Amino acid sequence: MNWHELGLLGSILTFSGGGILSLDALRAPRRIREMSGANQFLRILKAFGRGQSLNDKEGNTLDSSDALALWFAARSRWWARAGFLLMTAGFLCDILERYFGALPH
């Protein structure tokens, strides 16, 4: 791989990371509606005495609004990490291409 290809890869990674972060931000209204529905569902479960029956994949009980909010935030945090890592990798590729690509051969 030559230095110009590394620069192109860096641009693609940076663009992809920015796209992921943008899509996650655009999904915020949907996430709020989902969280509202989950809170309403939790209130219904509690009204019927089954508030402890809602669990996540790891088996943690989602028995409060705070627990539900943290569960929803975990998904967003994963996408934020992925976008950040892609942007950082792209930036590093771009820096390497600019520095080493400018050196005389």
Side-chain angles (χ1 to χ4, degrees):
M1 175 182 291
N2 67 38
W3 295 113
H4 296 295
E5 290 172 345
L6 187 64
L8 179 61
L9 175 64
S11 296
I12 291 169
L13 290 174
T14 303
F15 180 78
S16 299
I20 286 174
L21 292 175
S22 296
L23 288 174
D24 185 49
L26 290 172
R27 288 182 40 100
R30 179 179 177 186
R31 201 169 26 258
I32 291 169
R33 284 192 307 273
E34 289 173 349
M35 194 165 28
S36 175
N39 279 322
Q40 187 174 6
F41 183 64
L42 180 62
R43 283 192 297 274
I44 292 169
L45 285 175
K46 283 184 177 182
F48 286 99
R50 301 199 35 112
Q52 300 288 331
S53 61
L54 199 57
N55 298 325
D56 64 7
K57 289 181 182 177
E58 287 82 34
N60 300 321
T61 304
L62 303 174
D63 58 352
S64 68
S65 295
D66 290 339
L68 283 172
L70 288 172
W71 182 70
F72 276 97
R75 288 191 299 174
S76 184
R77 190 172 54 238
W78 189 91
W79 286 108
R81 276 192 198 128
F84 175 75
L85 289 174
L86 283 173
M87 290 183 74
T88 302
F91 180 72
L92 289 174
C93 289
D94 195 34
I95 291 290
L96 290 172
E97 185 267 336
R98 289 176 192 263
Y99 180 74
F100 290 110
L103 293 177
H105 299 288

